[in-house]
Amino acid sequence: MAVSKEQFGAFLKNASEAAEAIKKCVENNETIHVISHFDADGLAAAGIVGKALLRLGATFRVRIEKWIDEKVTEQVTLDKPSLTIFTDFGSGYLDLLNSKLSDYALVILDHHQTISEPSSTFVQVNPHIHEIDGSRDLSGAGVAYLVAKALDEKNKDLASIAVVGALADLQDKYEQRKLGGINEHIVEDAVNEGFLNVETDLLFFGRETRPIHKALACTTSPFIPNISGEEDKSLAFLASLGIAPKHGEKWRALRDLSEDEKKNLFSGIADYLASKGFPSDTALGLIGKVYTLTSEEPWTPLRDAREFAVLLNATGRMDRSSLGVAVCMGDREKALEQANTVLEEYRRTITKYLSWLNEKPERIGELNSIYVVKGEDFIDENVIGAVSSILSTSLPNPEKPLIAYSFVPGEDQIKISARTLDMMTNRGLNLGEIMRVAAEKYSGRGGGHNIAAGAQVPVKNLDSFVKFVNDLVKMQLKETAHGS
């Protein structure tokens, strides 16, 4: 459903209320703490808010967290900032925030499903309040951007970072992997300000920066067996298609290919995936809208917005989130250099985990209604969400959602990541609600979007939790089918 002018107007009014609360705090020279989620969208949101506060001359601090729990709320009560801004999470934790921080001034800039009404001392900006889909029409970074724009129009130069956040959260769900809804207004700001160019092309990771065979080997969505992560085999694959990887002594990047070569490459990949038993439309995920940040240096990972998003995700997942925030705030020297190193390590890590899962089929179990990826103590809990996102696009039965889990080191907890496809959310599946209900039943916390969600539950409750999720998926689909 398209976002109406009335909905957008009501949302912008909501964003202005948050901007006024922030302005008042800055004018009184009061301290502001920004607490944001550790994924790429969260880091982009933190960078946008951080840059906006810096321009206002505010006294502030940014902290990145994996989730909100009693430790986070206790830190707020110890620090006693005049204002705490939560970005890219908060709405799914309102019960906890209401019970622990109702005496504190909070601004919540989120796009996840809300679970209750906020305390009177909170200002919550969330598209769901206005019946706007936060899983596809506006990201956490997008919410942060529109509040920053309400603070000062000169923050429109941060629109491209909000585009990166939306792409990081896989919100390119419109035709040809286009951003739509409120995201489209943000894209327009970025284009009009001269910071973004949009065109249709092949969506290879490293399309701006890497030799073709390396870009092909870096492609993990979809994951191409024996090609993803395998540079030598990628080179051989290109040779089999008659595509020259070099021009003279210089390696060619995707941008150097002719239109005919691109068509040949796409057809070759589609045929290869079909021969491996993948659904016929799997390769279509490789074509779509390309978002190029024109103000960034060519041949760098920041030039292509999706590549920028992966770099941010890498810094968050590899416990180097401060680098991602610094890059979003404009650091193009030391922070970017270090982030590039982290990105290489992250890519090797993801490839290692996907290969480990492929080694033994039993590591991905199948129940009546769901797939279960058993990361256990091998897959780092920080990257289980990235692994589940990649796997969710290439399951034998696309009608079954996937849940993946890993142990949290040093804690008696399991981190769970759940993913499904648009075709299932269109049938009424809501993973955010399922994760919330199942986690609460088994002494944990959960929530998120209808298409992507997560939870944390005690290790002892894992088996019961998985079985209950399987039952909830079956029941929810049955109920929506009967209701239609």
Side-chain angles (χ1 to χ4, degrees):
M1 183 185 294
V3 177
S4 69
K5 288 183 179 180
E6 290 76 17
Q7 286 173 306
F8 189 33
F11 178 87
L12 291 179
K13 182 180 178 182
N14 195 189
S16 294
E17 292 171 4
E20 287 303 315
I22 294 168
K23 275 183 185 176
K24 183 178 178 181
C25 194
V26 174
E27 288 168 358
N28 292 335
N29 295 316
E30 294 173 336
T31 302
I32 298 174
H33 284 189
V34 180
I35 304 175
S36 195
H37 191 232
F38 82 131
D39 71 3
D41 186 28
L43 300 187
I48 289 168
V49 172
K51 189 70 173 182
L53 291 175
L54 189 67
R55 286 171 170 170
L56 287 174
T59 302
F60 69 98
R61 188 178 87 183
V62 176
R63 193 162 86 244
I64 305 299
E65 299 285 355
K66 296 174 186 175
W67 52 67
I68 299 174
D69 57 15
E70 285 79 3
K71 292 178 184 177
V72 172
T73 58
E74 183 180 353
Q75 192 62 51
V76 173
T77 62
L78 290 173
D79 294 338
K80 293 183 174 57
S82 299
L83 178 66
T84 301
I85 304 174
F86 285 100
T87 58
D88 194 37
F89 57 9
S91 295
Y93 297 89
L94 279 173
D95 54 346
L96 177 64
L97 297 177
N98 285 339
S99 67
K100 301 291 185 180
L101 299 177
S102 61
D103 294 333
Y104 293 81
L106 303 187
V107 167
I108 299 169
L109 310 181
D110 197 6
H111 69 127
H112 295 89
Q113 295 173 37
T114 60
I115 62 167
S116 60
E117 290 298 315
S119 165
S120 60
T121 59
F122 303 171
V123 177
Q124 179 179 220
V125 186
N126 188 311
H128 286 284
I129 298 172
H130 308 285
E131 298 183 347
I132 298 167
D133 190 346
S135 68
R136 58 184 285 145
D137 290 334
L138 189 63
S139 70
V143 176
Y145 165 71
L146 291 169
V147 171
K149 183 180 172 183
L151 280 169
D152 195 323
E153 281 281 320
K154 70 182 179 184
N155 289 324
K156 286 170 74 173
D157 64 339
L158 301 174
S160 56
I161 302 298
V163 170
V164 171
L167 292 171
D169 247 27
L170 307 179
Q171 297 204 344
D172 48 347
K173 298 182 184 301
Y174 287 78
E175 187 177 358
Q176 288 196 317
R177 302 225 7 222
K178 179 183 177 182
L179 292 172
I182 295 181
N183 283 323
E184 196 165 12
H185 293 279
I186 298 172
V187 168
E188 287 173 7
D189 278 356
V191 170
N192 292 339
E193 291 294 305
F195 293 105
L196 190 72
N197 181 58
V198 185
E199 59 185 322
T200 304
D201 203 350
L202 285 170
L203 302 173
F204 277 7
F205 182 82
R207 62 187 304 278
E208 287 275 343
T209 58
R210 300 185 178 281
I212 313 164
H213 70 287
K214 287 181 179 287
L216 183 56
C218 288
T219 299
T220 54
S221 183
F223 182 74
I224 310 172
N226 299 318
I227 291 180
S228 295
E230 305 280 353
E231 290 185 12
D232 290 347
K233 292 177 181 176
S234 296
L235 199 56
F237 181 74
L238 292 171
S240 74
L241 298 175
I243 297 174
K246 282 187 173 184
H247 180 73
E249 292 300 311
K250 185 180 178 183
W251 290 107
R252 301 170 76 204
L254 182 64
R255 66 177 183 275
D256 299 319
L257 297 188
S258 67
E259 288 304 312
D260 285 343
E261 285 177 313
K262 288 179 183 178
K263 289 176 183 176
N264 186 20
L265 177 55
F266 174 76
S267 296
I269 294 172
D271 291 343
Y272 178 80
L273 286 170
S275 73
K276 296 293 183 183
F278 284 76
S280 59
D281 61 350
T282 302
L284 291 177
L286 290 171
I287 291 182
K289 295 298 180 183
V290 172
Y291 296 85
T292 304
L293 277 67
T294 54
S295 62
E296 300 295 347
E297 289 293 325
W299 309 292
T300 71
L302 306 187
R303 181 81 172 179
D304 178 81
R306 288 185 179 88
E307 198 168 347
F308 194 150
V310 174
L311 179 133
L312 290 185
N313 200 43
T315 63
R317 305 291 175 178
M318 304 297 283
D319 282 329
R320 301 297 303 278
S321 54
S322 61
L323 297 177
V325 175
V327 170
C328 289
M329 290 181 67
D331 189 326
R332 295 294 178 269
E333 296 180 358
K334 189 173 181 180
L336 178 56
E337 181 182 342
Q338 292 179 3
N340 279 323
T341 301
V342 173
L343 177 59
E344 294 297 329
E345 182 185 354
Y346 172 74
R347 189 180 300 113
R348 288 192 296 269
T349 300
I350 291 291
T351 300
K352 177 182 73 174
Y353 291 152
L354 293 173
S355 298
W356 178 79
L357 289 169
N358 283 330
E359 283 172 10
K360 294 184 178 181
E362 64 269 21
R363 288 171 177 161
I364 302 180
E366 184 176 5
L367 302 181
N368 293 335
S369 303
I370 62 173
Y371 288 99
V372 183
V373 178
K374 305 167 187 176
E376 300 183 343
D377 58 358
F378 185 81
I379 299 180
D380 191 309
E381 49 103 6
N382 287 342
V383 300
I384 194 66
V387 170
S388 61
S389 291
I390 293 167
L391 292 175
S392 67
T393 62
S394 55
L395 296 169
N397 184 350
E399 294 190 352
K400 290 186 178 183
L402 171 152
I403 69 167
Y405 68 82
S406 290
F407 298 141
V408 179
E411 296 186 32
D412 184 31
Q413 292 283 315
I414 289 280
K415 170 73 178 295
I416 299 112
S417 176
R419 298 289 186 274
T420 191
L421 304 179
D422 287 319
M423 60 180 286
M424 298 309 295
T425 59
N426 291 340
R427 284 171 52 185
L429 188 65
N430 187 335
L431 290 181
E433 179 68 10
I434 287 171
M435 287 291 104
R436 183 186 67 80
V437 171
E440 288 178 359
K441 181 178 175 66
Y442 291 104
S443 307
R445 291 185 180 277
H449 301 297
N450 57 358
I451 198 166
Q456 306 92 41
V457 297
V459 175
K460 65 181 181 180
N461 295 335
L462 173 63
D463 290 342
S464 299
F465 173 87
V466 170
K467 289 176 183 175
F468 190 48
V469 168
N470 183 62
D471 292 339
L472 286 176
V473 169
K474 181 180 179 180
M475 285 190 292
Q476 198 175 81
L477 288 174
K478 189 174 181 180
E479 287 171 2
T480 54
H482 286 163
S484 59

